[in-house]
Amino acid sequence: MHFTLNYFKGIFLILVLVLNAKIFSQEKVHAISGLLELGPSWRPTVYLSHIKSFDDLYTISNEMIIAESKIDSLGRFSIPTNYLIEQDQLYRIHISKKSDPEASLIIGGSEENHIFIIANRNSDIEIVSLGKEKLLNLIEIKEHLPSQSLLKIDKIYHYKDSTDYGLSTLKKEFVVKAINEKLRFVADTSKHPLVSLYALHKSDFKSNYSLNKAFYTNYLDKWSEEDSNYFKVFKNQLPTKKTKNYQPYLVGVLSFVLGFLTHFLVKENKARARRRLKSLSVQERKILGLLQQGKSNKEISEEYHIEINTVKTHIRNIYSKLNIKSRKEALEIKSDNLDLKR
Amino acid sequence: MNQLVKHITKLVLLVLMLGPVMAQNTNHKNITRNIEVSRLSETTIIDFEITKEVSSFMLSVSCNIIYGEMAVEIHAPNGELQGNFAVKSILSYSDIEDKKPTDKNYISEAVSGQLNKTFNAPQTGIWEIKIIPRQARGHITISNDQNLF
């Protein structure tokens, strides 16, 4: 009896272990799936292309197609995303007409055959057409915010072409300008780098750059840590790359030049003063010395026992040789610089 | 007399029916061009003039290539890019030079692109469609449908 109980216990434990192993080994399958009811002129296949840069948004090639899924009789399709890379990337989903090659892209018009999505290997994206025989330009994306945002950006962008401008080209200018501003606002406020860049690409940034440089400088600063290929290509596309700030170097060089010039000028002034002083005779130097002591002409004449007119002549000569015009200026000549003691 | 009345009635009805059709024709202008591109073709610019009389126009450029690459750009009179696309085949001339046009691989690797765009209140002047082939073989169809005032 005891043996039988143990036996059943053992079997039960093994069953539990096997069941657990099975449950844990089942990895969740992520997928881009959806429901499309296409007309008879369309191939019942959905293609997924990897868009490596925003320059390739409207480039089509068989090389870019990385997966495809048949659309079943109920209109369902599913493309697993488990093999996609871990980081968010831009992808394009397209369908093609039976009369066209598989790699065919229709841009604009009622038969537009593609949409863009953002996905990674853990993405679950559901695409549902908004009615029978509606193409990819009339769809809804469920439960995937970044891809939903791309659809909203497309809707904003399409106002440019769908608005009735009547006869007014001016109205068109205003509307297009307003739409581009709106797209820039989306780019500025979006927290997802690819959504933000997608909006900016739709906003005609190349012609706006020269008018709004501050915006783009701030934009690049905001996403400075983004090193994906999308941002690398975008940075290279801006008409002028972020200019280097040479101001500190310039200030340094100017300070050095100014310092050198000041030093040179002071030195030159002293040398000139010395040269002038040397041009004075011994008597003139003595009289200059007395002038600097504040002595009057009469006091100088008494001290050196010379006529007052002779003193005046010496003083005129001193003024002329030193290029000065008054006693006040004579006082400013430093005696040590003038080497009067020599 | 009855015959005469019948004829006049038919004539009036014909004029009434044809009137709007003819009026439509006078307010509409459609130009279609087909261009063949071969391996040695260089960049070609197709231009067309949009006058003040054009209220809107619809431009459709479709391109199909068998090998090589081809880019298409639409430029407004002020030089601004108004639309573009590119098609790239994984085949080059050397891959298919000795194959027949009915070869399955030859056809399955073809690539096509089409750009349809309506321009309301368009800029007046010369619009340009730039076709840039790179060692490509294929053809392009340009259709320009202008609505006049």
Side-chain angles (χ1 to χ4, degrees), chain A residues 205-331:
Chain A
F205 72 91
K206 283 178 188 168
S207 57
N208 180 256
Y209 176 78
S210 57
L211 308 168
N212 207 353
K213 278 183 188 169
F215 173 85
Y216 295 94
T217 308
N218 292 337
Y219 186 82
L220 287 178
D221 284 345
K222 183 182 166 187
W223 296 111
S224 59
E225 283 175 22
E226 268 300 314
D227 62 346
S228 69
N229 190 50
Y230 301 104
F231 272 87
K232 280 178 191 164
V233 173
F234 170 69
K235 284 172 195 168
N236 288 333
Q237 278 180 333
L238 291 178
T240 49
K241 287 178 195 171
K242 202 179 173 184
T243 50
K244 273 193 173 178
N245 189 6
Y246 291 108
Q247 205 176 338
Y249 303 105
L250 207 67
V251 168
V253 170
L254 274 175
S255 304
F256 176 76
V257 170
L258 278 174
F260 178 78
L261 277 175
T262 312
H263 176 73
F264 175 79
L265 286 174
V266 168
K267 208 175 167 186
E268 180 60 25
N269 270 343
K270 280 182 181 173
R272 200 180 295 146
R274 276 204 182 92
R275 278 198 299 274
R276 281 178 183 161
L277 183 71
K278 277 183 184 173
S279 66
L280 300 181
S281 66
V282 177
Q283 187 72 344
E284 285 166 348
R285 282 187 212 180
K286 284 177 181 170
I287 290 168
L288 179 62
L290 294 177
L291 277 177
Q292 288 193 319
Q293 287 169 26
K295 304 242 167 131
S296 66
N297 288 357
K298 197 181 171 190
E299 284 170 332
I300 294 169
S301 75
E302 283 170 0
E303 193 157 324
Y304 288 120
H305 310 289
I306 51 175
E307 289 293 321
I308 220 160
N309 282 337
T310 312
V311 173
K312 283 180 182 173
T313 309
H314 280 308
I315 290 174
R316 268 201 304 277
N317 287 341
I318 290 166
Y319 282 9
S320 164
K321 285 179 182 175
L322 296 182
N323 198 24
I324 57 175
K325 288 172 184 168
S326 64
R327 281 169 188 261
K328 196 184 166 194
E329 281 182 71
L331 284 172

Side-chain angles (χ1 to χ4, degrees), chain A residues 33-86:
Chain A
S33 57
L35 189 65
L36 288 174
E37 291 179 66
L38 301 175
S41 60
W42 296 88
R43 237 187 225 110
T45 311
V46 170
Y47 303 92
L48 180 73
S49 299
H50 182 207
I51 310 293
K52 289 179 182 166
S53 88
F54 281 91
D55 273 357
D56 291 331
L57 277 179
Y58 299 113
T59 297
I60 182 113
S61 151
N62 277 304
E63 227 170 12
M64 294 167 79
I65 299 173
I66 56 167
E68 60 180 69
S69 163
K70 289 282 171 205
I71 301 174
D72 68 18
S73 55
L74 296 171
R76 297 203 164 273
F77 70 90
S78 180
I79 301 172
T81 55
N82 297 45
Y83 61 91
L84 301 184
I85 64 169
E86 212 170 321

Side-chain angles (χ1 to χ4, degrees), chain A residues 150-167:
Chain A
L150 298 191
L151 269 191
K152 282 178 191 164
I153 291 165
D154 281 340
K155 272 183 190 168
I156 298 170
Y157 176 76
H158 282 131
Y159 281 124
K160 282 187 194 179
D161 297 330
S162 59
T163 305
D164 182 10
Y165 302 108
L167 308 178

